[in-house]
Amino acid sequence: MVAPSLIPKKPGEKIKTDKRDALKLAKLLKSEDLTPIYVPEPEDEAVRDLSRAREVAMKDLKDAKYQLKALLLRNNINYKGTANWSQKHLRWLTELVLPHPAQHIVLQEFLQTITERISRLERLDNELTHHVHQ
């Protein structure tokens, strides 16, 4: 199989007919000027789907972290530690008390969402590693 964009053509060639195209392809094939492309197998596509799902999970996790950080910024709450999203940072977040009970509920929801998305990403990482190393 050959990709149409990889078929060499001369600058002045504007007339296209099936007969001319067939002759041109036959000559190019004979002179080995055509570059074949790889058509993925169903297994390859399945791993690609898994990889795409992992990319979505990474984006979802990043979005959840941004939402939590925005909540903290709106309330002028800053983490004094060195590394964000470390175990120490997550522990600090769980012990944090916000001024209003409704905000505390939002904080808990954000933390639960982040925890779930970290688990989801770890599951997809494990599956992807398993399928790639088979």
Side-chain angles (χ1 to χ4, degrees):
M1 184 163 289
V2 177
S5 61
L6 298 177
I7 298 173
K9 63 180 175 184
K10 296 176 186 166
E13 282 184 322
K14 294 191 183 203
I15 301 172
K16 284 182 56 66
T17 64
D18 288 342
K19 185 177 180 180
R20 286 184 185 193
D21 286 344
L23 285 171
K24 180 180 172 184
L25 286 173
K27 287 177 186 176
L28 290 171
L29 184 63
K30 184 177 180 183
S31 65
E32 297 181 358
D33 288 335
L34 294 177
T35 306
I37 61 169
Y38 173 73
V39 179
E41 298 291 326
E43 295 82 16
D44 297 332
E45 282 300 319
V47 172
R48 283 184 180 176
D49 288 337
L50 195 55
S51 177
R52 289 182 192 112
R54 184 186 176 279
E55 285 180 29
V56 170
M58 285 175 37
K59 181 189 175 302
D60 290 346
L61 175 60
K62 187 167 75 170
D63 289 346
K65 288 178 177 181
Y66 284 154
Q67 290 172 347
L68 177 58
K69 287 186 90 145
L71 173 70
L72 298 177
L73 280 173
R74 283 192 304 269
N75 289 285
N76 292 323
I77 299 172
N78 295 313
Y79 178 59
K80 304 292 186 224
T82 55
N84 282 344
W85 310 115
S86 64
Q87 289 299 325
K88 187 176 177 182
H89 181 243
L90 292 172
R91 193 174 329 108
W92 175 79
L93 287 170
T94 57
E95 295 168 357
L96 195 59
V97 178
L98 294 176
H100 195 275
Q103 290 174 320
H104 192 69
I105 291 170
V106 172
L107 174 66
Q108 295 303 316
E109 287 296 320
F110 284 157
L111 287 172
Q112 183 177 354
T113 300
I114 289 170
T115 303
E116 289 169 358
R117 290 182 181 180
I118 287 172
S119 298
R120 173 180 161 205
L121 185 59
E122 287 172 354
R123 286 191 309 271
L124 288 169
D125 277 340
N126 290 338
E127 287 299 321
L128 194 56
T129 302
H130 172 73
H131 286 284
V132 168
H133 291 302
Q134 273 186 335

